[in-house]
Amino acid sequence: QVQLVESGGGSVHAGGSLRRSCAASRMIYRIDAMGWYRQTPGKQRELVASITSAGITNYSDAAKGRFTISRDNAKKTVYLQMNSLKAEDTAVYSCNIKATPTDWSAFRDYWGQGTQVTVSS
């Protein structure tokens, strides 16, 4: 049932770096866009970065210049390199993909379990 498996995350001091990974299971057949979201208590989930199947990237204002999203289609994996981390980056980060389990099914959103990233100042 778990179709996206995340790795990485954890705690880091301000100014440090983390790299997140999110791999799709065998149940995921075809992937379109991929992205990373984050959420803190009392706030709505926000898009941090996204990447299309063509490699077009988009970043939130907070992430731009510090974070880099990339994908490995052969591994069906999306990455988020997070540099120059700040305390305000502390949140639960979740990966998201638009994908289909078959070549005839409609595309839908799949979500990873979410992983805490804590940046201490």
Side-chain angles (χ1 to χ4, degrees):
Q1 187 171 356
V2 178
Q3 296 170 304
L4 298 181
V5 179
E6 300 179 10
S7 62
S11 299
V12 65
H13 291 292
S17 299
L18 288 171
R19 190 169 86 128
R20 301 294 316 285
S21 299
C22 178
S25 73
R26 294 180 180 180
M27 296 182 66
I28 304 301
Y29 175 70
R30 184 179 299 169
I31 302 174
D32 186 14
M34 296 178 165
W36 290 91
Y37 291 76
R38 69 184 183 187
Q39 187 171 29
T40 56
K43 295 184 178 180
Q44 284 191 303
R45 183 167 54 195
E46 65 173 342
L47 177 65
V48 177
S50 64
I51 182 168
T52 70
S53 60
I56 300 173
T57 59
N58 179 258
Y59 298 93
S60 68
D61 290 339
K64 191 175 182 62
R66 299 186 299 122
F67 295 0
T68 302
I69 187 171
S70 61
R71 61 191 288 169
D72 186 329
N73 292 329
K75 297 181 179 180
K76 297 196 292 185
T77 300
V78 61
Y79 305 93
L80 183 67
Q81 179 67 43
M82 308 165 67
N83 297 328
S84 302
L85 284 163
K86 306 174 181 178
E88 52 262 43
D89 294 319
T90 296
V92 173
Y93 286 72
S94 302
C95 65
N96 167 269
I97 66 169
K98 179 177 289 186
T100 179
T102 69
D103 60 357
W104 63 83
S105 300
F107 283 81
R108 53 154 287 193
D109 286 331
Y110 292 83
W111 292 92
Q113 75 276 13
T115 303
Q116 178 72 37
V117 170
T118 301
V119 183
S120 59
S121 59

